């Protein structure tokens, strides 16, 4: 039995194999960026097509939707989707209790109140039964997050939305290329928000966002909202008339060109990632006490983040608290060269902004609900997941990490064959 690195043994992942780039930046990407700079078309509100129009057309085709609109980032895409669909003050938006903070902030930016529903313990996406319990007369929208690349269970959510007259805005920021029963994410809701932030599966050289929809009129409204409420038409000079409340939330052509260049390689990267990650997870699955992520029946997973849950009793370590075990595993596996981290230290409803209700002015938007606060029986599943899981991020997105992931699997197997030591190591945690 090999000695654990944390006790002075040789680490399972050799040091010179650990550093991995994401995103991968090629000569092609550099040329695409320079071509925009040389073209002089540096903003998207032009009367001639820019790199933003090109990316929008290509991404709409990739997702299989009528329209795509480039926006400054994924958070803005979520907010503008809600704005264009008419969600505003006095409305409630149902959001999963486990997500990146932006999913909870976007309703607030529209002066709507986010109401948190619990998640499924295996897929980490919205639990439709808890969504049903959270619907009130003020609910206007459901905001399912395809968390970590796993599509949310859209069929029951769509049924609920139809029954109660709600709109659905997908948060697809982590799920480019994932599909649900043959339909790409981004084509499942009334509108969907994607992020092009540099760490995402389809990255740009900085910040960016894309909004997709099959509703052409909605897309037109979104184009106005991103440009001060103006209408910009090809071949016509700008008239500076604002027809609706708008912001300045456009995607930059340089960033669009970089993302379009990355999109050209996306399907190749995606296929290789699927092979690497499946082979890695297949080696973890037999180890007792690890819950390995899996795609729901009929779905493809985009594997943006790999979240592993650990069960002390199933590992043969009864009596070790999950958080202590997680802390010990994090320390021991990091020493072996596996860069595990905690992604989200708390559920969304525990974030200070929602606890202290520091929104606009004197407690708005909550104050607009006439003192009535939405029902909330807690989020036990999301809390448990935060308590007993660790994540792998970013490196596995690089399609050349098949071997590295196999070394990670070596490290897990090594730690599992030494797992009796974890009881002692877990006692030293906190
Ligand atoms: C990254 C992310 C966002 C926000 O996207 P930005 O482009 O960073 O604004 C929203 N939701 C989820 C789930 C994300 O991971």
């Amino acid at each position: 039995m090999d000695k654990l690195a944390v006790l002075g043994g040789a680490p399972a992942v050799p040091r010179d194999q650990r550093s991995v780039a994401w995103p991968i930046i090629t000569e092609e990407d550099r040329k695409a960026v320079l071509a925009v700079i040389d073209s002089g078309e540096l903003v998207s509100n032009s009367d001639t097509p820019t790199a933003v129009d090109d990316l929008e057309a290509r991404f709409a085709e990739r997702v299989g939707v009528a329209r795509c609109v480039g926006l400054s980032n994924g958070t803005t895409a979520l907010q503008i989707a809600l704005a264009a669909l008419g969600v505003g003050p006095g409305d409630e938006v149902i959001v999963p209790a486990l997500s990146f903070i932006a999913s909870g902030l976007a309703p607030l930016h529209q002066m709507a109140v986010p109401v948190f529903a619990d998640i499924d313990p295996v897929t980490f996406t919205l639990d439709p039964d808890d969504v049903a319990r959270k619907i009130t007369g003020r609910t206007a929208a459901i905001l399912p997050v395809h968390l970590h690349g796993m599509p949310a269970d859209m069929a029951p959510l769509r049924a609920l939305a139809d029954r109660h007259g709600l709109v659905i805005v997908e948060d697809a920021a982590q799920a480019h290329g994932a599909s649900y029963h043959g339909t790409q994410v981004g084509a499942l809701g009334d509108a969907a928000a994607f992020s092009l932030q540099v760490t995402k599966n389809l990255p740009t050289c900085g910040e960016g966002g894309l909004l997709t929809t099959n509703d052409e009129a909605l897309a037109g409204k979104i184009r106005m909202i991103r440009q001060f409420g103006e209408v910009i038409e090809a071949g016509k000079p700008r008239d500076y008339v604002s027809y609706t409340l708008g912001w300045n939330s456009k995607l930059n052509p340089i960033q669009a060109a970089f993302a379009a260049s990355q999109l050209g390689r996306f399907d190749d990267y995606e296929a290789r990632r699927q092979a690497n990650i499946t082979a890695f997870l297949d080696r973890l699955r037999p180890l007792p006490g690890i819950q390995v992520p899996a795609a729901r029946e009929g779905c493809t997973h985009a594997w943006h983040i790999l979240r592993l849950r650990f069960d002390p009793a199933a590992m043969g370590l009864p009596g070790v608290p999950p958080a202590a075990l997680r802390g010990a595993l994090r320390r021991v596996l990091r020493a072996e060269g596996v860069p595990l981290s905690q992604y989200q230290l708390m559920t969304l409803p525990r974030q200070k902004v929602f606890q202290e209700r520091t929104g606009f002015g004197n407690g708005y938007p909550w104050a607009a609900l006439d003192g009535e606060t939405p029902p909330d029986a807690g989020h036990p599943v999301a809390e448990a997941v935060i308590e007993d899981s660790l994540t792998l991020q970013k490196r596995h997105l690089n399609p050349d990490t098949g071997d590295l992931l196999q070394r990670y699997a070596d490290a897990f197997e090594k730690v599992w064959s030494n797992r009796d030591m974890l009881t002692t190591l877990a006692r030293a945690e906190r």
Side-chain angles (χ1 to χ4, degrees):
M1 198 158 39
D2 290 338
K3 193 173 179 184
L4 291 174
V6 80
L7 301 176
V13 186
R15 285 202 167 74
D16 61 356
Q17 290 179 26
R18 292 183 194 173
S19 94
V20 178
W22 187 258
I24 296 171
I25 300 174
T26 66
E27 200 45 40
E28 202 180 16
D29 300 336
R30 290 191 187 90
K31 281 192 184 136
V33 164
L34 287 173
V36 174
I37 293 172
D38 292 341
S39 77
E41 291 287 358
L42 298 176
V43 285
S44 63
N45 58 304
S46 166
D47 56 3
T48 56
T50 70
V52 173
D53 299 274
D54 174 53
L55 175 64
E56 289 172 343
R58 288 172 60 184
F59 197 71
E61 193 190 342
R62 177 65 181 75
V63 173
V65 287
R67 288 286 180 266
C68 169
V69 185
L71 296 167
S72 48
N73 58 64
T75 309
T76 296
L78 283 172
Q79 183 206 345
I80 291 184
L82 293 170
L85 287 162
V87 177
D91 289 335
E92 294 170 7
V93 178
I94 299 179
V95 176
L98 185 70
S99 185
F100 179 64
I101 185 74
S103 316
L105 291 180
L108 273 193
H109 292 159
Q110 275 306 107
M111 283 271 266
V113 170
V115 173
F116 299 100
D118 212 348
I119 55 164
D120 178 90
V122 176
T123 63
F124 312 129
T125 59
L126 266 181
D127 168 8
D129 293 333
D130 202 41
V131 172
R133 286 190 284 272
K134 300 282 158 71
I135 293 174
T136 72
R138 287 187 298 249
T139 308
I142 306 174
L143 198 155
V145 181
H146 306 310
L147 196 69
H148 306 342
M150 176 73 221
D153 198 3
M154 297 301 286
L157 296 176
R158 174 49 76 191
L160 280 172
D162 288 349
R163 195 172 324 137
H164 297 274
L166 315 176
V167 296
I168 295 183
V169 173
E170 298 170 67
D171 182 340
Q174 299 188 356
H176 317 69
S179 68
Y180 181 83
H181 298 287
T183 303
Q184 287 282 305
V185 303
L188 298 161
D190 295 278
F194 289 86
S195 171
L196 300 173
Q197 197 266 346
V198 67
T199 64
K200 308 282 170 154
N201 287 30
L202 177 63
T204 187
C205 48
E207 309 267 355
L210 295 171
L211 196 152
T212 55
T213 180
N214 273 315
D215 182 337
E216 304 211 2
L218 189 74
K221 200 164 169 188
I222 289 160
R223 295 175 73 87
M224 288 164 72
I225 292 175
R226 76 172 176 185
Q227 172 64 23
F228 310 104
E230 298 172 43
V231 177
I232 303 287
E233 279 181 293
K236 283 195 190 158
R238 182 177 172 188
D239 65 7
Y240 293 94
V241 177
S242 285
Y243 296 91
T244 187
L245 170 62
W247 287 263
N248 182 10
S249 309
K250 296 183 294 297
L251 178 62
N252 181 288
I254 293 172
Q255 265 143 7
F258 185 97
S261 182
Q262 292 275 334
L263 183 59
R265 303 196 299 277
F266 182 83
D267 287 325
D268 169 48
Y269 284 7
E270 172 62 15
R272 287 154 66 198
R273 268 200 295 267
Q274 288 290 346
N276 297 340
I277 292 166
T278 306
F280 169 60
L281 297 177
D282 283 348
R283 282 186 64 192
L284 299 197
R285 203 165 288 111
L287 302 176
I290 302 193
Q291 181 186 302
V292 172
R296 184 190 289 111
E297 185 75 28
C299 295
T300 55
H301 200 307
W303 308 120
H304 177 64
I305 286 174
L306 306 179
R307 182 182 292 276
L308 305 165
R309 298 187 71 183
F310 305 100
D311 177 348
M315 278 179 73
L317 307 169
V320 176
L325 174 64
R326 182 204 56 211
L329 279 170
R330 180 186 151 111
R331 193 151 65 87
V332 169
L333 280 157
R334 285 185 78 98
E336 298 295 342
V338 185
L340 286 162
S341 58
Q342 239 181 299
Y343 177 71
Q344 302 319 348
L345 300 180
M346 63 188 91
T347 62
L348 284 189
R350 287 197 187 277
Q351 292 274 4
K352 270 202 166 8
V353 59
F354 306 119
Q355 289 281 317
E356 297 176 1
R357 301 193 162 182
T358 42
F360 295 89
N362 250 341
Y364 284 89
W366 294 274
L369 300 189
D370 303 326
E372 290 177 55
T373 46
D376 193 351
H379 314 91
V381 178
E383 296 288 352
V385 170
I386 291 274
E387 192 82 351
D388 68 14
S389 66
L390 289 169
T391 61
L392 282 168
Q393 299 183 55
K394 227 168 97 167
R395 290 168 187 77
H396 65 276
L397 297 178
N398 181 313
D400 295 320
T401 49
D403 287 343
L404 178 66
L405 290 176
Q406 289 298 310
R407 300 292 79 74
Y408 288 179
D410 295 343
F412 276 89
E413 286 174 358
K414 178 180 170 188
V415 168
W416 253 246
S417 63
N418 284 287
R419 68 183 182 278
D420 50 327
M421 316 276 296
L422 289 169
T423 308
T424 321
L425 292 165
R427 213 170 283 141
E429 293 290 318
R430 269 192 295 167

